[in-house]
Amino acid sequence: FLSLVAEFCCGFFVILILSNFWFLAVLYLLWLYLDWETPCMGGRRSQWVRSWTVWKYFREYFPIHLIKTSDLSPNHNYLLGFHPHGVLVAGAFGNFCTGPSFKNLFPGLTPYLHIMPIWFGCPFFREYIMSAGMVSAAKESVSYVLNNEGGGHASVIVIGGAEESLNAHPGSLTLNILKRKGFIKMALKHGAHLVPVFSFGENELFKQVANPKGSWLRNVQEKLQKIMGFALPLFHARGVFQYSFGLIPYRQPIHTVVGSPIPVKRNLNPTNEEIEQLHALYLQKLRKLFEEHKRNYGIPEHKSLIFE
């Protein structure tokens, strides 16, 4: 979805350059130069964009729900680890970039969804995603959000990243997390409380072409992901008037469950051992969150999370 909108925005920019309105493209390039650092400095959200009626229909289509399990005090900053990535990351976008659900459940907190920096280099598209509350996933961007002295900021990071989207098959419970410890280090450096978030139903929105590890397709996808910075899962779902084939996601409910916070004391120079200990605790809390809620959302009792 992001790719399609980004392509449209880039296409529109090219048309401007080639048309009689080329001077508008030049003015925008000047603006882009002056505004380049904004995605790493909290972005530029618009409550008007976040409240568009289209997002209400977007959330109701699946539908998307946000479930609270514990209070989050606005006196602290938080780093929310979102799992799994899925293909669309619909739960993260629907709950943290649109609508009043997060604000109503966690008053006093402002969520910032961190996404790959590459998206902010796309003309016009960058303005749209910043308006929705998205900011760069670069280290300096996360630091900017979590460095709010008064508290009340929540960084939302999709921990598995683009690589995890290649595991987004219906029923899959595999998370790319064992080697991802940068978010732990950031939480320690800023004293941001860690909050595991699991979005049930995220992997059920699309069917993906079989790409087991070691297959030629998976090897190609992984190489492209390393080169371009984002993955290219081959997926399909339903069409507009039929359910056999298309790119519209299936209507499967998404329940994004926000877990209890893990208190973190500020440590500007954490050791590897301290990072490992907190990472292990985070994995433990994430697994516990999943086990406590899986029965409510159709996960068989014998199934558990797989950490890779």
Side-chain angles (χ1 to χ4, degrees), residues 69 83-84 171-175 196-201 203-204 255 257-259 282-307:
T69 63
H83 312 271
S172 174
L173 295 172
T174 301
L175 304 181
V197 178
F198 195 88
S199 196
F200 292 89
N203 285 339
E204 273 54 58
H255 295 88
V257 184
V258 181
Y282 179 85
L283 294 182
Q284 177 186 331
K285 295 294 185 181
L286 174 60
R287 189 181 295 279
K288 180 181 178 183
L289 177 71
F290 173 81
E291 292 295 331
E292 288 179 347
H293 294 273
K294 68 180 184 181
R295 301 172 192 82
N296 299 331
Y297 307 116
I299 306 295
E301 185 66 33
H302 67 278
K303 285 203 169 187
S304 296
L305 293 179
I306 301 173
F307 296 147

Side-chain angles (χ1 to χ4, degrees), residues 16-28:
L16 274 184
I17 294 176
L18 299 177
S19 70
N20 293 330
F21 298 98
W22 58 267
F23 61 92
L24 293 177
V26 173
L27 288 175
Y28 183 79

Side-chain angles (χ1 to χ4, degrees), residues 26-39 41 44 126-127 130:
V26 173
L27 288 175
Y28 183 79
L29 284 176
L30 176 61
W31 162 256
L32 193 62
Y33 173 77
L34 296 173
D35 194 58
W36 190 255
E37 297 299 325
T38 300
M41 300 179 67
R44 187 172 45 249
R126 68 190 298 273
E127 320 303 335
M130 278 197 288

Side-chain angles (χ1 to χ4, degrees), residues 189-201:
K189 282 190 171 184
H190 295 281
H193 295 354
L194 281 167
V195 182
V197 178
F198 195 88
S199 196
F200 292 89

Side-chain angles (χ1 to χ4, degrees), residues 234-256:
L234 298 180
F235 60 88
H236 65 89
R238 53 162 291 185
V240 178
F241 301 110
Q242 45 77 29
Y243 292 86
S244 57
F245 189 81
L247 295 179
I248 297 176
Y250 293 114
R251 297 191 70 176
Q252 296 289 338
I254 298 172
H255 295 88
T256 303

Side-chain angles (χ1 to χ4, degrees), residues 181-222:
K181 300 170 185 176
F183 73 104
I184 298 292
K185 190 173 182 179
M186 293 299 293
L188 282 166
K189 282 190 171 184
H190 295 281
H193 295 354
L194 281 167
V195 182
V197 178
F198 195 88
S199 196
F200 292 89
E202 200 75 44
N203 285 339
E204 273 54 58
L205 305 185
F206 296 93
K207 292 180 180 178
Q208 191 173 166
V209 175
N211 60 342
K213 288 196 172 183
S215 65
W216 70 267
L217 176 58
R218 185 60 168 259
N219 291 335
V220 170
Q221 289 175 320
E222 289 176 347

